[in-house]
């Protein structure tokens, strides 16, 4: 079948992207789902900072690539061996397909599934196959098994989480990356306790979701840190009790003074080794620092080694919120139904697929939280 898809043809093109057009809307051939695969018609797909990192060359994925890793849609056809989904089911995509058999899956950590991450690095589905191709027969790669910036896509069953139909797909889409990553980091990775103090560095879609997760967990105070005033205002609506201007020489000192010695848990949602070090410095004795943002692969982190030991500090990474997507996406949707996660606040605006380069310019300039492409 034919599908209109946004294809990244070259990385590191200059901004503004509206002019350099790194993403091109192409009509591709989409082959039928193979064994264990599903054809999905996309309903919505979010523009995330990790996409920007692929476009600007910080994250290296094979090209050409049908982009998009935060998506929701409706099942249209199932391949052989898929007996627990049927046409018409609503799904949210998980950006790590899970095999269910590797060591990490067996240890209950499917978000770092070894086979899933290997397939993602290769730009294929879990089967090792590509289902997108151009009319000249050349393959176009899958972005982390999702490829959400496309009218239709084929995904492994292990990339899909079935959801109930009461939550609109243009809201449910945000549970695929922003919410599962941010809320998961609070509840699964850090296990934030009610009444404990939290600081969150970086108020993009995932950072704001982390604020929502901290509020739902009953944390206090919840300190939002960002250089941009309008993002701090949005953070207050999402549940931040205090705001601190980020990127200043005294950012850490202000947080330490506010909490009389530092926060119990600090989250870094920027992807900068310098900000991870600041987040670490903002924690108190026995404090936890949770790194969520993805830094450039060449970067090295420097922190004082002595207080790690002598003050029993904890430094942790959190990928996809340490989640079990099949368990946590429905669980976090229940938190939304319970009124604990004001997810609508994340959505800045909706776009058409053809506006995608302009959308990434707006994200790059820090003007927006989440923009969502509607199909
Ligand atoms: Zn993302
Ligand atoms: Zn696995």
């Amino acid at each position: 079948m034919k599908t209109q898809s946004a294809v990244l043809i070259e990385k590191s093109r200059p901004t503004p992207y509206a002019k350099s057009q790194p993403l091109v809307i192409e009509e591709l051939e989409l082959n039928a789902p193979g064994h264990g695969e599903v054809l999905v018609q996309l309903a919505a797909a979010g523009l995330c900072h990790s996409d920007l990192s692929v476009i600007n060359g910080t994250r290296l994925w094979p090209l050409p690539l049908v982009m998009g890793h935060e998506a929701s849609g409706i099942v249209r056809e199932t391949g052989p061996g898929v007996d627990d989904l049927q046409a018409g089911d609503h799904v949210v995509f998980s950006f790590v397909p899970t095999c269910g058999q590797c060591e990490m899956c067996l240890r209950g950590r499917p978000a770092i599934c070894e086979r899933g991450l290997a397939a993602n690095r290769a730009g294929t589905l879990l089967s090792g196959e590509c289902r997108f191709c151009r009319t000249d027969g050349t393959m176009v790669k899958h972005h982390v098994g999702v490829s959400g910036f496309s009218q239709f896509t084929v995904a492994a069953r292990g990339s899909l989480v079935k959801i109930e139909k009461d939550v609109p797909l243009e809201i449910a889409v945000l549970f695929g990356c922003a919410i599962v990553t941010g809320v998961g980091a609070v509840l699964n990775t850090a296990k934030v306790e009610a009444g404990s103090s939290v600081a969150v560095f970086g108020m993009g879609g995932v950072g704001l979701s982390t604020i929502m997760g901290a509020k739902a967990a009953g944390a206090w105070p919840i300190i939002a840190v960002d250089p941009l005033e309008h993002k701090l205002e949005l953070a207050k609506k999402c549940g931040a009790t205090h705001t601190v201007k980020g990127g200043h020489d005294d950012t850490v000192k202000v947080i330490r003074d506010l909490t009389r010695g530092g926060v119990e848990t600090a989250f870094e949602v920027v992807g900068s080794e310098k900000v991870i070090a600041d987040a670490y410095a903002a924690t108190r004795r026995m404090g936890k620092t949770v790194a969520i943002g993805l830094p450039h692969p060449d970067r090295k982190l420097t922190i004082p080694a002595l207080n790690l030991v002598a003050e029993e500090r904890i430094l942790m990474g959190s990928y996809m919120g340490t989640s079990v997507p099949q368990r946590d996406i429905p669980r976090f949707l229940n938190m939304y139904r319970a009124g604990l996660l004001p997810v609508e606040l994340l959505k800045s605006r909706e776009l058409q697929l053809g506006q995608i380069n302009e959308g990434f310019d707006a994200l790059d300039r820090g003007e927006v939280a989440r923009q969502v492409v509607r199909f």
Side-chain angles (χ1 to χ4, degrees):
M1 67 178 295
K2 302 278 184 214
T3 177
Q4 297 277 329
S5 309
V7 180
L8 180 66
I9 55 169
E10 187 186 21
K11 68 179 170 68
S12 308
R13 284 201 176 173
T15 54
Y17 298 128
K19 192 154 172 250
S20 64
Q21 300 275 318
L23 288 154
V24 176
I25 310 303
E26 297 189 30
E27 184 173 86
L28 300 176
E29 184 66 30
L30 180 60
N31 293 315
H35 191 273
E37 294 173 356
V38 180
L39 170 69
V40 181
Q41 182 174 11
L42 277 299
L47 278 64
C48 172
H49 223 277
S50 305
D51 298 317
L52 204 52
S53 301
V54 179
I55 295 167
N56 69 25
T58 308
R59 297 274 287 159
L60 302 172
W61 298 118
L63 304 184
L65 179 72
V66 178
M67 283 198 64
H69 68 277
E70 181 183 74
S72 64
I74 301 172
V75 172
R76 290 301 177 212
E77 189 186 325
T78 55
V82 179
D83 50 16
D84 59 346
L85 281 179
Q86 52 189 3
D89 282 347
H90 286 194
V91 289
V92 168
F93 288 74
S94 156
F95 58 83
V96 180
T98 57
C99 76
Q101 288 154 1
C102 72
E103 183 192 344
M104 291 303 135
C105 282
L106 293 173
R107 288 174 67 169
R109 300 299 316 283
I112 46 174
C113 169
E114 292 162 13
R115 282 185 54 206
L117 293 170
N120 283 356
R121 271 192 295 273
T124 69
L125 299 181
L126 207 50
S127 59
E129 303 283 332
C130 284
R131 300 295 171 209
F132 291 108
C133 66
R134 288 175 167 147
T135 44
D136 66 4
T138 55
M139 289 295 175
V140 181
K141 301 286 185 178
H142 295 258
H143 186 194
V144 294
V146 178
S147 294
F149 300 144
S150 183
Q151 289 172 310
F152 292 90
T153 190
V154 169
R157 172 66 186 90
S159 295
L160 300 172
V161 177
K162 184 181 169 180
I163 63 164
E164 299 297 324
K165 294 180 180 171
D166 60 319
V167 176
L169 286 165
E170 64 269 25
I171 293 295
V173 59
L174 300 168
F175 287 74
C177 175
I179 292 290
V180 80
T181 304
V183 178
V186 173
L187 299 183
N188 296 332
T189 316
K191 298 186 168 59
V192 166
E193 291 177 356
S196 72
S197 53
V198 163
V200 183
F201 290 70
M203 289 299 113
V206 175
L208 294 166
S209 301
T210 308
I211 295 277
M212 290 183 198
K215 170 130 199 256
W220 197 95
I222 300 169
I223 304 167
V225 188
D226 198 281
L228 297 175
E229 194 55 45
H230 71 271
K231 292 195 165 182
L232 294 176
E233 284 306 311
L234 184 53
K236 280 190 207 162
K237 293 188 184 132
C238 293
T241 60
H242 299 70
T243 59
V244 173
K245 201 154 169 76
H248 275 244
D249 291 344
D250 64 349
T251 297
V252 170
K253 183 177 182 303
V254 171
I255 297 168
R256 293 188 66 87
D257 289 349
L258 198 63
T259 50
R260 297 196 183 87
V263 288
E264 287 168 85
T265 312
F267 296 91
E268 195 273 0
V269 205
V270 179
S272 152
E273 72 283 4
K274 289 193 182 68
V275 181
I276 297 173
D278 277 356
Y280 182 85
T283 58
R284 68 202 297 121
R285 299 169 81 85
M286 287 181 67
K288 271 182 204 166
T289 304
V290 180
I292 304 174
L294 291 164
H296 188 282
D298 295 342
R299 298 283 188 255
K300 299 273 188 285
L301 171 64
T302 305
I303 54 166
L306 177 61
N307 65 12
L308 177 70
V309 181
E311 298 185 2
E312 296 201 359
R313 308 279 197 105
I314 298 166
L315 177 61
M316 319 171 78
S318 179
Y319 191 65
M320 206 184 183
T322 315
S323 66
V324 178
Q326 306 287 347
R327 174 197 72 192
D328 289 333
I329 289 176
R331 181 161 76 109
F332 298 161
L333 280 163
N334 281 346
M335 291 173 68
Y336 169 73
R337 292 182 182 101
L340 292 170
L341 299 174
V343 176
E344 287 89 350
L345 290 172
L346 294 180
K347 259 179 88 169
S348 303
R349 60 172 173 163
E350 295 190 343
L351 304 174
Q352 303 294 310
L353 191 59
Q355 299 171 291
I356 193 136
N357 288 299
E358 289 85 346
F360 280 112
D361 281 326
L363 187 62
D364 187 49
R365 289 193 293 261
E367 292 170 2
V368 289
R370 264 303 191 265
Q371 305 168 94
V372 171
V373 175
R374 291 295 304 278
F375 296 92

